[in-house]
């Protein structure tokens, strides 16, 4: 009987240290080192309402907004994941064709605008993908395309710093900057 009680005490102590203690330690370090990302990089409007996260894509369909990469999970962060379809699957071709038709152009479209990311929630598009959308967004907003392009260029960054050549743009940040009149 003593062996059973000792085993139960060791199991409870192990759970407290390994589950609760470790989790609290990691959470505390994250809060101290990077509090904004530890809270999910949530963005709020002027009234304090949460309007999105810099870390998770959300759907924009209005012509006056930049559109994100397609999502295999319909932008549902609870179900992040790819489509599991083979690149040769006709459903992938049909989805890409529908997206191309939504853009309404015959010009080549940057690949990231018609293909979903691995998690289906990538909040960034390539600089080329953003620049491709400038004419549509500028026309829908009644803005000079050069002004919209200027905002895109200002918000573009290299994720790997000087080690990365291609720049990317966070779609939510870009749309919010345009809404704010930047």
């Amino acid at each position: 009987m003593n062996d059973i009680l000792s085993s139960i005490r060791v199991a409870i102590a192990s759970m407290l240290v390994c589950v609760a203690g470790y989790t609290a330690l990691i959470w505390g370090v994250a809060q101290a080192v990077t509090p904004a990302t530890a809270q999910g990089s949530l963005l709020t409007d002027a009234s304090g309402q949460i309007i999105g996260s810099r870390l998770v894509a959300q759907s924009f369909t209005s012509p006056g907004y930049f559109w994100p990469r397609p999502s295999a999970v319909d932008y549902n962060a609870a179900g992040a994941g790819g489509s599991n379809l083979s690149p040769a699957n006709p459903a992938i071709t049909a989805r890409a064709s529908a997206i191309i038709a939504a853009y309404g152009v015959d010009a080549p479209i940057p690949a990231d605008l018609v293909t979903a990311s691995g998690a289906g929630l990538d909040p960034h598009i390539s600089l080329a993908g953003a620049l491709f959308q400038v004419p549509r967004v500028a026309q829908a907003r009644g803005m000079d395309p050069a002004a919209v392009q200027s905002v895109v260029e200002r918000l573009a960054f290299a994720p790997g710093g000087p080690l990365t050549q291609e720049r990317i743009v966070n779609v939510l940040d870009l749309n919010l900057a345009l809404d704010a009149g930047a």
Side-chain angles (χ1 to χ4, degrees):
M1 186 62 148
N2 284 341
D3 290 340
I4 293 174
L5 291 175
S6 294
S7 297
I8 291 171
R9 277 187 244 136
V10 167
I12 290 171
S14 295
M15 283 191 267
L16 287 173
V17 170
C18 295
V19 175
Y22 178 75
T23 301
L25 175 71
I26 296 301
W27 180 81
V29 169
Q31 291 296 327
V33 176
T34 60
T37 56
Q39 296 298 327
S41 297
L42 299 176
L43 299 171
T44 57
D45 62 13
S47 66
Q49 286 287 104
I50 296 173
I51 56 174
S53 168
R54 282 193 171 89
L55 303 176
V56 179
Q58 56 191 19
S59 179
F60 290 96
T61 56
S62 171
Y65 287 99
F66 283 85
W67 297 342
R69 292 184 74 163
S71 175
V73 294
D74 199 28
Y75 305 100
N76 180 355
S83 69
N84 255 359
L85 297 176
S86 159
N89 190 309
I92 296 286
T93 304
R95 182 180 70 193
S97 296
I99 293 168
I100 291 168
Y103 278 100
V105 295
D106 292 330
I109 296 177
D112 62 319
L113 296 182
V114 294
T115 57
S117 64
L121 298 171
D122 189 352
H124 302 96
I125 57 175
S126 67
L127 177 58
L131 293 175
F132 179 82
Q133 297 183 65
V134 164
R136 173 183 48 81
V137 173
Q139 181 181 12
R141 289 178 177 261
M143 294 177 68
D144 177 24
V148 175
Q149 183 172 338
S150 173
V151 175
V152 169
E153 293 283 350
R154 180 173 48 86
L155 294 177
F157 66 98
L163 301 175
T164 309
Q165 290 183 349
E166 186 171 345
R167 297 188 307 161
I168 60 175
V169 183
N170 185 295
V171 176
L172 180 60
D173 284 341
L174 181 55
N175 287 331
L176 290 174
L178 289 172
D179 283 349

